[in-house]
Amino acid sequence: MGTDTAQARPTDEAAERRREQRGWYFYDWACSVYSTSVLTVFLGPYLTSVAKSAADADGYVHPLGVPVRAGSFFAYSVSLSVIVAVVVMPLVGAAADRTGRKKPLLAVTAYVGAAATAGMFFLDGDRYLLGGVLLLVANAAQAVSMMLYNSYLPQIAPPEERDAVSSRGWAFGYAAGALVLIANLVLFLAHDSFGVSESTAVRICLASAGLWWGAFTLIPLKRLRDRRSPVEEITAPGLRRLAATVRDMRRHPLTLSFLLAYLIYNDGIQTVISQASVYGSEELGLSQSTLIVAVLLVQVLAVGGALGMGRLARTYGARRTILGSLVAWTVTLGAGYFLPAGAPFWFFVLASGIGLVLGGSQALSRSLFSHLVPAGKEAEYFSAYEMSDRGMSWLGPLLFGLTYQLTGSYRDAIISLVAFFVVGFVLLARVPVRQAVRDAGNPVPERI
């Protein structure tokens, strides 16, 4: 009887882990629609057009009395939202580890972001400031919620499963983005048949992303479990815990070295994601429907790319696979500088290149970092990771916006981002990841 019970327990634990993993995937399914439909496709060109309608004769808007070129307003808003997230994330991460109650914090941040996104339905006329505020709230809330979501990974997947589990999560997100984009494309192209204007169709697409986000967040909230943190400083208040986290991370310099590399190359990735539609519409003169099809192509290929790179990581290790993806990013972005205006075919080729490396480079970076986190400090360390992921990705949009403001050329702005991938590659290549895993007190996988 005792032996039967001992044999049943691991089986039950494995079944519970699989159930929790499936619930975890669904938060990517829920919130990735915001990243795709809102941040990547619709909001950049639409908010830019709203800002231009409110601009003065010289093409400037004046939020809080500051002169800003209308074409740079969206990029600056993204940068500001990320700075807000930087301030909030470490405090929320410390609170999550201190109390062991990540799930209520995930619920609050998810529904604040979903509500702000749904509120974008009211962005019309010359309400560019409303758009900037809603973008700030939604983008910051998503960054904080993703920090909490990512911090579950070391708890729901043993080391040998993390590359695959992380890749499946990204694949779920891209599949959801593709599904919703198909519906967006139908509504946008056939808006007259539905009896709505083009701008109303865009606002419906923006708001529907918020409704989708909120509805599917219910699944992970039901499946994920809260766990008490084993760390000793569990009663320390947030600011003291944050200071302790910074001190603790200094004892793991190789983990910090990985974060620095990730901060650099992911800044380039996030900027390409958020500014690609603006580049396509403003510099290349492509229609909104062409941009939607291109992003849909990215989403579909990113599903296969994430799963395929997950398999490559099992053979070559996550670090080598990520380095290969950074080479591909550099080549793809460099080619983007030379794209001819008004040529959808070559834009689709570029989108294909992005799609094949996008999901995998992000999924494998997340799983690789999970091996570098000391046990019991997942939320706090992932708050630092999320700063590198979205929270510190303010420099790229700022550089993009400043380059355009100074040169008036989106081509110059896009080529400036190549530096992020080159520097990120050099820094990551210098990190001895096996030693970093050992220093964090974790078992070293056979391939990493």
Side-chain angles (χ1 to χ4, degrees):
M1 179 69 72
T3 302
D4 291 342
T5 302
Q7 290 175 343
R9 189 176 299 115
T11 302
D12 292 343
E13 289 176 357
E16 175 60 27
R17 187 171 73 249
R18 296 285 185 271
R19 182 179 185 275
E20 198 169 5
Q21 287 171 0
R22 288 192 290 270
W24 184 80
Y25 299 148
F26 268 95
Y27 191 67
D28 246 326
W29 175 275
C31 75
S32 291
V33 171
Y34 164 81
S35 299
T36 304
S37 289
V38 177
L39 199 61
T40 304
V41 177
F42 288 107
L43 189 58
Y46 185 69
L47 184 56
T48 299
S49 69
V50 171
K52 285 183 175 180
S53 70
D56 59 22
D58 296 322
Y60 285 82
V61 290
H62 299 269
L64 304 179
V66 179
V68 174
R69 190 188 287 265
S72 297
F73 180 75
F74 173 69
Y76 289 157
S77 297
V78 172
S79 289
L80 183 59
S81 71
V82 168
I83 292 170
V84 170
V86 167
V87 175
V88 175
M89 277 192 295
L91 301 179
V92 174
D97 282 335
R98 188 177 72 251
T99 64
R101 293 177 57 80
K102 297 178 189 175
K103 199 155 67 169
L105 293 169
L106 177 62
V108 170
T109 54
Y111 283 107
V112 166
T117 305
M120 291 177 186
F121 179 79
F122 301 102
L123 175 59
D124 60 358
D126 59 357
R127 298 177 179 176
Y128 76 97
L129 274 178
L130 174 64
V133 170
L134 292 175
L135 169 59
L136 188 153
V137 173
N139 218 39
Q142 194 209 29
V144 178
S145 72
M146 285 299 293
M147 173 268 294
L148 295 164
Y149 164 74
N150 287 337
S151 70
Y152 276 99
L153 181 59
Q155 298 177 337
I156 65 172
E160 66 275 9
E161 293 183 5
R162 287 183 200 164
D163 287 346
V165 170
S166 183
S167 296
R168 286 189 204 114
W170 280 107
F172 261 62
Y174 286 116
L179 181 64
V180 173
L181 264 185
I182 291 172
N184 292 160
L185 183 61
V186 170
L187 175 61
F188 183 81
L189 293 179
H191 60 84
D192 288 334
S193 300
F194 291 101
V196 298
S197 66
E198 182 177 298
S199 66
T200 300
V202 170
R203 292 188 291 117
I204 291 173
C205 292
L206 293 171
S208 65
L211 298 178
W212 178 285
W213 185 356
F216 284 102
T217 294
L218 293 172
I219 297 175
L221 291 180
K222 183 177 181 180
R223 295 282 186 93
L224 293 172
R225 293 188 293 114
D226 279 332
R227 295 163 172 81
R228 271 285 174 185
S229 172
V231 297
E232 295 180 0
E233 296 180 54
I234 199 162
T235 59
L239 289 175
R240 282 177 52 199
R241 189 76 188 114
L242 174 58
T245 301
V246 173
R247 290 195 300 271
D248 189 76
M249 291 192 75
R250 291 173 60 187
R251 297 193 297 109
H252 301 283
L254 296 181
T255 300
L256 284 175
S257 295
F258 171 82
L259 274 177
L260 177 60
Y262 183 66
L263 182 156
I264 299 297
Y265 71 75
N266 188 68
D267 203 343
I269 293 174
Q270 295 299 324
T271 307
V272 172
I273 292 171
S274 66
Q275 304 303 321
S277 289
V278 175
Y279 179 67
S281 62
E282 298 294 322
E283 184 68 36
L284 303 181
L286 301 176
S287 66
Q288 184 74 67
S289 59
T290 297
L291 298 176
I292 295 174
V293 172
V295 175
L296 179 59
L297 183 61
V298 169
Q299 298 298 116
V300 172
L301 291 175
V303 175
L307 297 176
M309 287 181 65
R311 294 190 182 95
L312 286 175
R314 289 201 291 270
T315 302
Y316 300 103
R319 176 172 166 273
R320 286 184 180 179
T321 307
I322 295 168
L323 288 171
S325 76
L326 296 182
V327 174
W329 271 108
T330 302
V331 173
T332 302
L333 198 60
Y337 177 83
F338 298 102
L339 285 184
F345 173 78
W346 292 111
F347 193 70
F348 292 152
V349 171
L350 184 72
S352 299
I354 291 174
L356 289 173
V357 296
L358 175 60
S361 56
Q362 293 177 314
L364 293 178
S365 296
R366 177 170 65 186
S367 61
L368 179 56
F369 181 71
S370 71
H371 295 286
L372 311 182
V373 178
K377 300 180 180 180
E378 293 85 4
E380 291 181 66
Y381 271 60
F382 267 103
S383 71
Y385 175 86
E386 193 66 22
M387 287 183 197
S388 301
D389 188 351
R390 299 171 206 265
M392 287 301 288
S393 296
W394 56 270
L395 184 58
L398 180 62
L399 177 62
F400 189 94
L402 282 174
T403 303
Y404 175 73
Q405 179 146 340
L406 294 173
T407 68
S409 170
Y410 283 108
R411 291 186 188 274
D412 292 339
I414 204 75
I415 199 64
S416 68
L417 303 179
V418 167
F420 290 97
F421 298 102
V422 174
V423 174
F425 179 96
V426 172
L427 293 176
L428 179 59
R430 293 167 59 89
V431 178
V433 292
R434 289 184 172 276
Q435 185 62 46
V437 175
R438 283 191 289 267
D439 289 352
N442 295 322
V444 181
E446 182 180 352
R447 298 279 184 186
I448 191 163

